[in-house]
Amino acid sequence: MNSHQEIRWEQARSDLHVFNLLREAGVEPCHQLHYLQMIAEKLAKAYLWRSGSPPPRKHAGFVNFLRGLGLVENERRAVLASALGFRTFVQLHHWIRAATPLAHELERLAPALAGDGPNPEYPWPHDAPANYPARYEFSFWNRLVGTTPGRRFLKVIEVAVDRFPIYA
Amino acid sequence: MAVVQFDRDRMAKRYVSLNRDLDPGIQRILYLPKHASDREIRLLVVNELLAEMTDDMFEPVVFRFNVGSEAEHKLLVLDVSPSQWEEIDRGTLSLPRGWTLEEAVDFAPEPAR
């Protein structure tokens, strides 16, 4: 892990800590989703810094992170799969395929990408707000709670942060 | 103001329905009320599309809802593959500490019409 990665990973760890406090407190899903977004983004940027060059600033980090995991060199596959809690790289690959639509959806919730639609931070639509996040039922949240891929998504993000130094 | 009584069994059925509606990989869901607190809902979800994980990942995912209100409760979901379910059923794979299949309510697949 280089120093650029370490800085971003440390911030992702701190965000994960707050995320777990929010989960423990059972606060409105919008706040939990906001932190989940930040964790995913920082984890992705930490990983993508492994080349030594800065990753793009745009919100597409976590999907690229998943793609990068799927393309890892053969000799690192077993270590990566094990670090993320999978028995084999093939099983990790299956998970990546299941998780990628969720990653896209999480990224699209960011205010910059959500347009005038639901996002976890600000009321919408911008010019005539009629909804606000704290009282909105996010379909993405329902998928995190109500599907096996959603729950697994949460679990893998958590271990991906905790065990980042193993596969960075 | 009317006080809403929390009905754990009813809420468990709502979570079962949510899972069935959203997740095509689910084979069966067991609701495990025995030894759970009055505001704790334990579900064991058998999913045929689940990639098995290492043993240290074999633990429920926990969600808390409505903290501080009359409807406060905790949802714990343990996702398992069909082969892990067979092992659990045979007794060769242990459930999380404090969990038991005694008095389980089995939401097996609906018969094909």
Side-chain angles (χ1 to χ4, degrees):
Chain A
M1 177 166 40
N2 62 47
S3 61
H4 300 296
Q5 290 184 289
E6 188 168 7
I7 284 171
R8 281 157 182 80
W9 170 58
E10 290 289 2
Q11 187 59 41
R13 287 177 73 195
S14 178
D15 287 354
L16 177 62
H17 178 66
V18 176
F19 176 63
N20 286 330
L21 293 175
L22 295 174
R23 288 185 68 187
E24 186 70 20
V27 301
E28 289 87 349
C30 65
H31 302 298
Q32 300 185 53
L33 289 174
H34 185 194
Y35 266 84
L36 186 63
Q37 271 185 326
M38 294 198 293
I39 295 163
E41 192 71 19
K42 283 164 194 149
L43 174 65
K45 291 220 164 97
Y47 186 76
L48 296 172
W49 259 101
R50 64 198 298 260
S51 67
S53 311
R57 284 180 182 272
K58 60 179 182 164
H59 282 275
F62 197 63
V63 172
N64 286 337
F65 167 71
L66 293 180
R67 284 196 190 115
L69 296 182
L71 295 171
V72 76
E73 306 88 329
N74 284 348
E75 59 272 21
R76 296 181 62 237
R77 290 181 169 185
V79 170
L80 174 65
S82 172
L84 296 181
F86 293 88
R87 292 177 196 247
T88 65
F89 183 76
V90 171
Q91 289 183 333
L92 169 61
H93 209 266
H94 284 200
W95 175 78
I96 291 171
R97 290 181 63 182
T100 298
L102 291 168
H104 276 292
E105 202 170 344
L106 180 63
E107 288 182 348
R108 281 197 300 267
L109 281 178
L113 300 179
D116 260 345
N119 73 87
E121 296 179 60
Y122 305 105
W124 70 90
H126 179 266
D127 292 336
N131 299 286
Y132 62 102
R135 280 294 165 87
Y136 186 73
E137 184 174 330
F138 289 89
S139 59
F140 180 70
W141 176 255
N142 283 342
R143 269 193 283 289
L144 292 181
V145 175
T147 70
T148 298
R151 293 183 289 270
R152 185 56 54 88
F153 189 76
L154 285 174
K155 197 175 264 195
V156 174
I157 287 178
E158 186 163 354
V159 296
V161 174
D162 282 342
R163 301 177 185 174
F164 185 75
I166 299 173
Y167 66 91
Chain B
M1 182 187 290
V3 175
V4 179
Q5 294 294 320
F6 178 69
D7 184 334
R8 184 176 64 163
D9 296 346
R10 192 170 170 182
M11 187 59 78
K13 284 181 186 167
R14 286 180 57 181
Y15 286 124
V16 169
S17 295
L18 177 70
N19 274 267
R20 285 215 176 285
D21 289 347
L22 295 179
D23 195 335
I26 290 174
Q27 287 187 337
R28 71 195 314 158
I29 303 177
L30 286 96
Y31 166 44
L32 309 175
K34 184 154 187 176
H35 300 322
S37 72
D38 291 345
R39 291 181 180 272
E40 183 174 304
I41 297 167
R42 296 175 178 173
L43 298 181
L44 187 154
V45 175
V46 183
N47 196 311
E48 65 185 358
L49 303 178
L50 180 70
E52 283 184 24
M53 301 191 79
T54 49
D55 292 345
D56 56 331
M57 300 285 282
F58 190 71
E59 58 183 22
V61 177
V62 181
F63 300 92
R64 289 176 190 270
F65 298 94
N66 307 113
V67 172
S69 80
E70 184 59 33
E72 177 173 344
H73 65 280
K74 190 157 72 166
L75 170 68
L76 296 89
V77 188
L78 181 67
D79 292 288
V80 303
S81 66
S83 62
Q84 286 174 317
W85 166 240
E86 284 176 18
E87 287 184 58
I88 291 168
D89 203 31
R90 281 200 306 266
T92 53
L93 179 62
S94 298
L95 288 169
R97 185 183 297 272
W99 287 41
T100 175
L101 294 178
E102 288 175 42
E103 301 176 19
V105 180
D106 188 354
F107 293 89
E110 293 175 7
R113 294 180 185 174

